Amino acid sequence: MKRKMRRLVGLVALATLALATPGVEAQLLSDLAEAAENLLVRPLEAAWDATFGKAPDAAGTVYLELLPNATETGALCLDGSPAGYWFRKGWGDGKDKWLVFLEGGGWCFNEQDCYERSKTILGSSKQWAQTRSDRSSQIFSADPKENPDFYNWNLVDVAYCDGASFSGNVAEPITVNGEEIYFRGKNILEATVWHLKYGKGMTFATDVVLAGCSAGGLATLLHADWFETRLGPSVKNYKAISFSGFFPDTPNFQGEPWYPSVMKYVYEMQQVDIHSPGCLADNMNEQYKCFFAQNQYRHIKTPVFLANSVYDMYTISVIYNVSQQTIPENENNLVVPYLNDKSRSLWDLISWTGTWWAGKNGGFLHTCFTHCAGCLTDSGWSGVKVDGMSLRDYLGLWLRNQVARTREPCVYTLGEPFQCNPTCPPL
Ligand SMILES: *[C@@H]1O[C@H](CO)[C@@H](O)[C@H](O)[C@H]1NC(C)=O
Ligand SMILES: *[C@@H]1O[C@H](CO)[C@@H](O)[C@H](O)[C@H]1NC(C)=O
C-alpha cells in the first residue's frame, strides 16, 4: 500500500509537471493515463467485482479455464491434455450462486473408439475455443427475461472429454495404437470442484445446482450425492437437474441387448467409480447396473429434477435402434405401438420410485421427439408446454421448493399426427 501511495504521489507530480510544461508529447500523457489506470482503476474494479460481481457482456460469453497441474491431479482428457471448463462469473444476488453444468456427448464404447475420440474436442482440450458465445440462451442465458432463475449465477460449463460420463478412474493410461489414452473422468470432476472453490470463490457459495445434459445428465444422476460431499459448509441449498440423462437399460427394437452390453463394457474398461452405497448394495453382483440412470435415480438423496422426454430422440434412434424416418412412414406397423410401449415402461421406471414423488424433487416429462430440450433449443426451454407450463416454469417452482412435477405423459396416436402434445415441434 505504502509503495503504491509513493508511486501515486510520484505520478501526480509528474503529471502536474507534464501539464505545466508546454510541448509535452501526447505519448507521455497517455503513458501517465495508463499508469494511473493500472495503479488505481484496475484494483478498484477488482475490489468492486470481488464484492458485487459484474454483469457479463450482452452475449453472455463464457471463458475457458484449463485446469492447472492436471498431470498431478490426474484431471486429464482421453489424450492426456488438461481438462477444463468455460466460466462466467455471477453478479448481483447471483454472486454466490453456482450452476455447474456437465456437458454431454455420448460415450466411447471400446478402446479403439476412445482412441478415435481422443483426436476430437470430446477427448482432447487442444482445440477448445477460448471463449464461447453459444452458452447464451435457455438455462445459460444471462437475460433475466429468458432465464429468470439462473441468469446472474456463476456459470460453469464443464467440458466433456473423458468418454464415460465423468466417471472413469483408471490410474495408469492404456496404450492404443502406440499412444497413451487416459480414463480419468472422476478426477476431472474432483479437480474441477477444487479449482472452483479455491480459484473461483465457490468456497463462499450459498446455492449450488449440479446439472448436465445427455451423458452429462447421466453423470449428474450418478454423482449428485458424491458432489455434495465436496462442497463446503457455506452451501445452504444444493440441488441437481438431469436433462435427458435417463437412458434405459433395455434391448433394442430388434431384440438385441445392445445398449446394456456396451455400457457394461464401458463400466469395466473405465473402472467407473460411483459413490452410491444404496445402488451398489442393491446390485452387489452386478455393480455395473449402477451405471444406468434407472438404478441410480431411486437412490438419490439430493433434491433432483428430472427433465426428460419419454420419446427421447437419442434413446429412440441409438438405444432402441429405430431410425427417425421409420416413425412417420410406418403408421400401420409396429413402430408407434412399440414406442408407446417403451414410453410407458420409462414412465413406470420413473414413477414407481419414491424419488419421483418426494416433495423435494421435481420433473418435466414430455413427449417431444427431441434430446437435451432446455439446453439446446428455445422451444424445449420455454415453448413446449405440459399442462400450460414450460420446463422453465416447472424448474422455477422446484427451485423455490414448490410442487413441480408433470403428470403421466400422453401417448402417440397410431396415425397422423402421432405427436400427442401440440406444443412439441412436429414429427
Ligand atoms: C501446481 O503447479 C505450480 C506451478 O505451476 C506449483 O507451484 C504447485 O506446487 C503445483 N501444485 C500442486 C498441487 O502440484
Ligand atoms: C439396428 O438396426 C439396423 C437396421 O434395422 C440393423 O441392421 C442393425 O443390426 C441393428 N443394430 C443392432 C445392434 O441390433
Side-chain angles (χ1 to χ4, degrees), residues 346-369:
L346 206 60
W347 163 249
D348 290 347
L349 278 175
I350 294 167
S351 64
W352 291 358
T353 63
T355 312
W356 175 254
W357 299 105
K360 63 184 177 173
N361 298 331
F364 185 80
L365 296 181
H366 62 93
T367 58
C368 302
F369 183 62

Side-chain angles (χ1 to χ4, degrees), residues 346-417:
L346 206 60
W347 163 249
D348 290 347
L349 278 175
I350 294 167
S351 64
W352 291 358
T353 63
T355 312
W356 175 254
W357 299 105
K360 63 184 177 173
N361 298 331
F364 185 80
L365 296 181
H366 62 93
T367 58
C368 302
F369 183 62
T370 55
H371 186 60
C372 287
C375 345
L376 277 183
T377 59
D378 291 345
S379 76
W381 176 237
S382 55
V384 171
K385 303 278 164 60
V386 175
D387 288 329
M389 291 198 303
S390 65
L391 170 55
R392 177 175 70 189
D393 301 331
Y394 280 91
L395 272 175
L397 290 175
W398 170 73
L399 212 56
R400 284 184 287 279
N401 305 312
Q402 294 174 32
V403 179
R405 188 182 301 110
T406 50
R407 59 202 168 91
E408 181 171 353
C410 61
V411 175
Y412 282 10
T413 58
L414 296 187
E416 302 271 2

Side-chain angles (χ1 to χ4, degrees), residues 68-295:
N69 304 69
T71 307
E72 289 91 329
T73 64
L76 302 171
C77 296
L78 289 169
D79 72 337
S81 59
Y85 56 86
W86 286 272
F87 182 63
R88 185 175 76 217
K89 203 164 151 186
W91 77 98
D93 68 3
K95 179 178 68 71
D96 290 323
K97 298 178 178 177
W98 293 72
L99 175 63
V100 180
F101 185 90
L102 308 177
E103 291 217 358
W107 305 271
C108 51
F109 294 121
N110 55 51
E111 290 80 354
Q112 178 63 26
D113 198 12
C114 293
Y115 169 84
E116 281 158 24
R117 181 176 278 238
S118 76
K119 308 291 177 200
T120 72
I121 56 171
L122 283 173
S124 169
S125 61
K126 287 178 187 155
Q127 317 251 343
W128 289 350
Q130 289 299 312
T131 66
R132 286 174 60 176
S133 53
D134 61 332
R135 282 309 193 203
S136 57
S137 37
Q138 301 109 35
I139 197 171
F140 310 108
S141 170
D143 175 355
K145 284 198 291 295
E146 163 78 358
N147 184 22
D149 293 300
F150 300 102
Y151 73 98
N152 62 355
W153 290 34
N154 292 275
L155 173 62
V156 183
D157 184 27
V158 188
Y160 180 42
C161 66
D162 61 276
S165 287
F166 298 88
S167 303
N169 191 13
V170 184
E172 294 299 325
I174 62 160
T175 304
V176 187
N177 304 330
E179 291 178 33
E180 292 190 328
I181 299 295
Y182 294 79
F183 295 143
R184 306 311 305 261
K186 192 65 182 295
N187 289 71
I188 293 174
L189 263 193
E190 179 92 68
T192 300
V193 184
W194 202 90
H195 195 246
L196 291 174
K197 283 168 78 176
Y198 303 109
K200 293 286 172 217
M202 201 169 72
T203 50
F204 306 111
T206 56
D207 298 68
V208 176
V209 168
L210 177 70
C213 195
S214 197
L218 175 62
T220 303
L221 297 175
L222 300 178
H223 300 305
D225 289 352
W226 169 85
F227 197 82
E228 184 173 25
T229 68
R230 292 303 187 262
L231 299 174
S234 62
V235 178
K236 299 293 177 276
N237 296 301
Y238 170 63
K239 297 186 176 211
I241 311 168
S242 171
F243 293 96
S244 307
F246 207 97
F247 300 104
D249 175 358
T250 181
N252 65 16
F253 187 64
Q254 292 78 18
E256 298 293 327
W258 178 79
Y259 183 70
S261 66
V262 293
M263 289 305 270
K264 180 170 190 250
Y265 192 83
V266 174
Y267 181 90
E268 285 160 2
M269 172 180 73
Q270 290 237 13
Q271 295 175 27
V272 161
D273 178 2
I274 299 167
H275 161 95
S276 177
C279 184
L280 294 172
D282 262 13
N283 297 277
M284 206 62 113
N285 299 317
E286 295 179 296
Q287 296 206 329
Y288 79 94
K289 293 268 180 191
C290 295
F291 201 30
F292 291 90
Q294 66 206 58
N295 302 318

